[in-house]
Amino acid sequence: MKGLPPERVAHAKMNYSFIVPSMLVLLVIMGYYFFRPRLPIRLNRSFLAILVIDIFTELFECISYRLNETWPAHDPRLLGAFNLLFYFFFFSRSYMFFVFTISVLDARSIGRSELHRYVPAPFFGFALTVLVNPLTGWLFTIENGCRNGPLYWLIYACGGSYALFSLMAVYRHRRELTAHEVISLTAIQLVLLVGLFVRFLVPTFVVMNTFCLMVIIIIFISFLNPDLYLSERGYVYNLPAFQALLSECYRRCRPCRILGFALQNYNEHREIFGGKQMDDALTRINRWLTDSFPELSAYYLRNGCFALVGQNCPDLFAIRKKLRERFAGAWKTGVGELRLNVSFVEADMEVLDCPADRMVNTLMISLDDLSRVSEPDASLSLSDSIEEINQKLIIRRCLERALEQDELEVFLQPLVDCATGKRIAAEALVRLRDEEGKLIRPDLFITMAEQEGHIVQLGEQVLSKVCRFIRDNDMDAIGVRWINVNLSPVQFMARDIPARFAAILKEYGVSEEMIHLEITEQSMIDFSLLRDQITGLHENGFEFSLDDYGSGYSNLSRVRQYPFTNIKIDMEVVRNYCRDRDLLLPALVQAFKKMNLSITAEGIETAEMAGALKEIGCDYLQGYYFSRPVPMTEFLAQAV
Ligand code: C2E
Ligand code: MG
Ligand code: MG
């Protein structure tokens, strides 16, 4: 042996002082990991593979080194077989650490790049080298004891290259990962590289396993500690686990059926029975779920909402029946008994074909709704909710695009003067088109604009387009004395609205009396900012109409507190009056007239309706009978 570097002689005396404690720690981790529930996702499977391969690598490493040390006493075939197994597992372990990194990227929905596609190839090369070694002796030979072959360095090449591949993949996708994930994945590769280097420097120390153990601990703490995915109430999974499973099912097109259920009036129950008793009941429910449905995975999501998920087409009807039967009885708690009702929502991932995060959100919204109801056996269809959300996403996209590119359209509908029977003004009504050019209902996108902070921009775009229309056309010639523009109460939140409106009018050289602002009765909440803003705008010269009168709860005294000059009677009130002519509407119209307010009747669809409303004293009429809201060019053409 003298004269030969130890690296070249595999049967040098080895130092095992590191391997025994490493194996003991590994056994503790494995014990903890195996005895806790594990989510059936790819990340878990690759970690499991790492644990199994690592334990085999260590085992075959120890056995083969021991046999090598005492080689004259053994059959060379035995020596060959164990060395072969050791090399095979050593290569596999390096490859599995790489697979784990890819699984993390995959779990974060990062698409598979070329790197992911081609890098398994070297592993097959390494495995082939092991298989043909008895013929070639490239890795080791067993004449006169075990000696390292000319390609022994492949051990370092394999480990090193996969650690570098992993580092590259992490670096490339660093923005899609959390900082914690980037640090953990980088640390894993660096520890592996250092381990290989130490092994290279001191090959007689069986030390690589200790570095692999460090990596396993990092993976365990950062990604796969079972406690990260378990609910604290009993042995069921939690919401992050639910999200992880669904996103994997979606990505891998794996069928999966979900039965969500919510405890009805959960918050009220918690108030009445107390948190401790409720928690006790939740723990018992969770235990019962895991015991009663071993073929499904059970999740406690939040606030009395649960889910059962099955990946082998479970019979949701039967599961629902079993749940209903159990919930017909009481749940014993430490103090007494609780009777709880449940509502259900079902979902089939294959049928819905909707990304997991959207599906989880919709399901949570549906379950939260269901936890507030108290009808027996209430249930919801998730496909309807998902359709609704898809619809909203389309509307949001179109709205944002239209706002950004100044593409909102403004239609005009004439207001007819009862005295002359001719148009006297117009109402501007905003229009938005979807990607196919079809009109989207204003109530849908206006509510969205209000909720998502776009209404100020929307209102200003409409006002600008109305002003441009006034500037570019001869209003007298088309018989229009003013144009009504609708305002949302949310627009009043912007304190500088009077200044902004004044600036728009100035830009187009339009005077304030050309614009009448409409605000709906529904939005007339008692809100001092609203009153101040209306007064401010009125002082600037704008006139105000109270829109949709009769659809809310305003009384006459409230109306008097605002500087309205016109009241628009809601079309439902108009319709009711035309159906059943009582005395209420005529009296109301008279009362308004005494207050010096002009009256517009909305929703006039027939000559008969026009006659009836004119008769009771309305000043202006608006409705499909005269014209539907039309694009500005068409409105101009009508005047000719
Ligand atoms: P609104 O201000 O009460 O507008 C009248 C609505 O009644 C319009 O609906 C109009 O198309 C419809 N309409 C008019 N005549 C008839 C009729 O004879 N029969 C029937 N069935 N309907 C008739 P549209 O355009 O769908 O607008 C709905 C609501 O959206 C408006 O109600 C208004 O509150 C709001 N809106 C429209 N444009 C704007 C805008 O630029 N800004 C704001 N903040 N809200 C707007
Ligand atoms: Mg209106
Ligand atoms: Mg109206």
Side-chain angles (χ1 to χ4, degrees):
M1 251 181 283
K2 236 178 163 193
L4 278 171
E7 179 66 358
R8 302 279 302 133
V9 183
H11 55 270
K13 187 105 187 89
M14 304 303 276
N15 183 325
Y16 297 96
S17 41
F18 285 95
I19 194 157
V20 177
S22 301
M23 278 181 108
L24 291 177
V25 176
L26 184 66
L27 285 176
V28 172
I29 294 178
M30 284 178 85
Y32 187 72
Y33 187 70
F34 280 114
F35 285 104
R36 308 226 61 187
R38 286 177 312 279
L39 204 59
I41 55 173
R42 190 174 173 216
L43 219 55
N44 258 321
R45 282 194 295 275
S46 48
F47 185 56
L48 216 67
I50 288 177
L51 290 179
V52 172
I53 290 174
D54 188 58
I55 205 96
F56 275 114
T57 316
E58 293 189 21
L59 215 64
F60 290 128
E61 185 167 26
C62 288
I63 296 173
S64 61
Y65 282 167
R66 202 70 208 123
L67 291 175
N68 293 349
E69 278 169 14
T70 52
W71 63 272
H74 308 292
D75 183 338
R77 277 171 304 183
L78 193 71
L79 238 67
F82 274 101
N83 276 286
L84 216 64
L85 283 168
F86 160 63
Y87 278 95
F88 179 75
F89 277 100
F90 192 95
F91 286 144
S92 306
R93 185 173 62 183
S94 301
Y95 178 59
M96 277 321 292
F97 283 128
F98 168 75
V99 169
F100 180 81
T101 307
I102 297 303
S103 308
V104 174
L105 296 179
D106 216 24
R108 302 296 168 263
S109 302
I110 294 167
R112 304 188 129 233
S113 59
E114 321 75 65
L115 188 75
H116 306 170
R117 220 171 300 135
Y118 300 123
V119 283
F123 171 70
F124 295 111
F126 294 131
L128 200 69
T129 321
V130 176
L131 286 179
V132 299
N133 189 73
L135 304 173
T136 60
W138 285 340
L139 291 168
F140 64 90
T141 56
I142 46 170
E143 301 134 30
N144 298 325
C146 189
R147 282 170 187 274
N148 295 337
L151 295 188
Y152 179 77
W153 54 267
L154 277 182
I155 256 194
Y156 299 109
C158 174
S161 56
Y162 276 120
L164 290 175
F165 284 147
S166 307
L167 276 178
M168 278 160 64
V170 173
Y171 181 75
R172 192 162 160 182
H173 297 291
R174 64 194 180 286
R175 290 190 217 294
E176 291 126 288
L177 296 164
T178 64
H180 171 86
E181 287 167 342
V182 173
I183 293 170
S184 304
L185 289 175
T186 309
I188 289 171
Q189 313 315 325
L190 294 180
V191 169
L192 286 174
L193 286 172
V194 172
L196 284 171
F197 188 61
V198 173
R199 188 183 197 276
F200 176 75
L201 286 184
V202 275
T204 50
F205 272 79
V206 186
V207 78
M208 188 61 203
N209 302 305
T210 310
F211 286 90
C212 288
L213 176 68
M214 282 169 72
V215 169
I216 286 170
I217 292 174
I218 298 175
I219 294 180
F220 184 76
I221 294 173
S222 306
F223 299 98
L224 287 169
N225 180 352
D227 295 333
L228 295 175
Y229 292 112
L230 286 173
S231 154
E232 70 259 30
R233 304 211 172 91
Y235 273 37
V236 294
Y237 298 110
N238 56 14
L239 184 57
F242 186 60
Q243 283 161 328
L245 180 81
L246 291 202
S247 60
E248 178 151 318
C249 287
Y250 179 72
R251 270 196 325 277
R252 313 207 142 256
C253 302
R254 268 203 262 141
C256 117
R257 284 191 188 160
I258 304 156
L259 179 67
F261 63 97
L263 302 180
Q264 295 187 350
N265 299 317
Y266 174 75
N267 288 328
E268 287 80 352
H269 274 88
R270 217 177 160 83
E271 294 251 309
I272 297 166
F273 297 106
K276 194 169 173 308
Q277 210 178 161
M278 259 335 254
D279 288 346
D280 205 358
L282 289 175
T283 309
R284 278 162 208 265
I285 295 171
N286 288 336
R287 288 248 164 83
W288 179 79
L289 289 175
T290 40
D291 293 346
S292 313
F293 302 101
E295 71 288 6
L296 307 174
S297 47
Y299 300 79
Y300 177 65
L301 305 171
R302 68 172 181 225
N303 297 347
C305 299
F306 304 77
L308 286 167
V309 180
Q311 298 186 40
N312 296 317
C313 296
D315 178 358
L316 294 189
F317 184 77
I319 298 168
R320 207 162 150 154
K321 186 162 168 267
K322 195 165 168 182
L323 277 166
R324 219 181 287 127
E325 281 165 7
R326 177 61 190 89
F327 275 87
W331 294 92
K332 280 200 170 59
T333 65
V335 195
E337 280 192 347
L338 276 184
R339 284 188 180 271
L340 301 160
N341 288 328
V342 279
S343 314
F344 297 97
V345 52
E346 285 182 12
D348 188 327
M349 196 106 184
E350 221 176 357
V351 175
L352 294 172
D353 190 29
C354 143
D357 49 348
R358 202 182 306 161
M359 176 122 158
V360 173
N361 279 346
T362 321
L363 192 89
M364 291 315 298
I365 294 169
S366 308
L367 283 173
D368 281 343
D369 287 349
L370 286 173
S371 74
R372 275 181 242 113
V373 301
S374 43
E375 305 143 39
D377 205 17
S379 67
L380 270 179
S381 148
L382 202 66
S383 53
D384 288 352
S385 316
I386 287 189
E387 187 49 42
E388 214 173 283
I389 288 191
N390 281 342
Q391 212 50 42
K392 273 194 180 160
L393 286 175
I394 295 173
I395 297 175
R396 179 182 298 142
R397 222 178 18 244
C398 296
L399 178 66
E400 285 173 357
R401 192 207 54 220
L403 283 170
E404 201 181 304
Q405 302 182 359
D406 197 28
E407 278 175 358
L408 284 173
E409 291 175 44
V410 177
F411 278 25
L412 294 172
Q413 187 179 29
L415 270 71
V416 170
D417 186 358
C418 287
T420 61
K422 291 196 178 136
R423 72 156 74 148
I424 186 165
E427 176 170 4
L429 294 156
V430 65
R431 292 292 180 261
L432 173 71
R433 291 188 192 274
D434 65 14
E435 277 133 357
E436 290 160 13
K438 283 205 257 14
L439 291 172
I440 300 173
R441 272 179 31 215
D443 54 330
L444 297 180
F445 69 87
I446 288 171
T447 313
M448 182 179 285
E450 286 174 340
Q451 286 166 354
E452 300 188 2
H454 297 307
I455 193 70
V456 172
Q457 200 185 348
L458 180 146
E460 291 184 356
Q461 209 176 106
V462 172
L463 183 64
S464 301
K465 289 189 173 170
V466 168
C467 289
R468 192 187 306 148
F469 177 78
I470 296 174
R471 181 195 65 188
D472 295 346
N473 296 285
D474 182 351
M475 292 297 108
D476 288 338
I478 60 167
V480 169
R481 290 211 216 139
W482 72 87
I483 295 184
N484 283 9
V485 172
N486 290 283
L487 276 193
S488 149
V490 185
Q491 282 176 267
F492 292 109
M493 298 291 185
R495 288 198 169 265
D496 57 347
I497 189 176
R500 294 166 85 135
F501 274 25
I504 295 173
L505 265 65
K506 197 165 164 221
E507 185 187 341
Y508 292 94
V510 171
S511 81
E512 277 75 7
E513 23 340 324
M514 286 302 295
I515 308 287
H516 289 195
L517 299 173
E518 289 189 12
I519 59 164
T520 61
E521 190 199 25
Q522 309 255 16
S523 65
M524 293 273 301
I525 29 171
D526 206 3
F527 179 32
S528 65
L529 179 64
L530 184 81
R531 203 167 25 234
D532 294 350
Q533 298 273 48
I534 291 179
T535 315
L537 282 161
H538 182 64
E539 280 163 6
N540 281 2
F542 290 102
E543 293 211 4
F544 274 88
S545 267
L546 179 58
D547 201 359
D548 301 345
Y549 185 84
S551 62
Y553 303 99
S554 286
N555 52 38
L556 292 183
S557 70
R558 169 85 75 80
V559 173
R560 286 180 93 139
Q561 292 170 15
Y562 290 83
F564 292 117
T565 49
N566 174 264
I567 304 291
K568 294 185 81 173
I569 310 282
D570 185 63
M571 63 180 92
E572 209 44 52
V573 179
V574 169
R575 221 169 271 160
N576 287 343
Y577 173 72
C578 293
R579 216 177 292 134
D580 174 19
R581 300 195 190 191
D582 58 11
L583 297 174
L584 200 65
L585 189 61
L588 197 67
V589 169
Q590 289 316 314
F592 280 134
K593 297 200 89 151
K594 284 207 181 93
M595 288 159 69
N596 269 338
L597 294 164
S598 60
I599 314 290
T600 306
E602 292 189 293
I604 304 295
E605 293 182 349
T606 60
E608 195 192 348
M609 286 172 92
L613 273 295
K614 187 177 165 188
E615 204 174 285
I616 61 168
C618 288
D619 302 282
Y620 312 114
L621 302 175
Q622 176 182 355
Y624 294 169
Y625 173 61
F626 304 103
S627 164
R628 285 180 176 261
V630 290
M632 287 172 162
T633 44
E634 209 172 305
F635 185 82
L636 288 171
Q638 280 177 0
V640 182

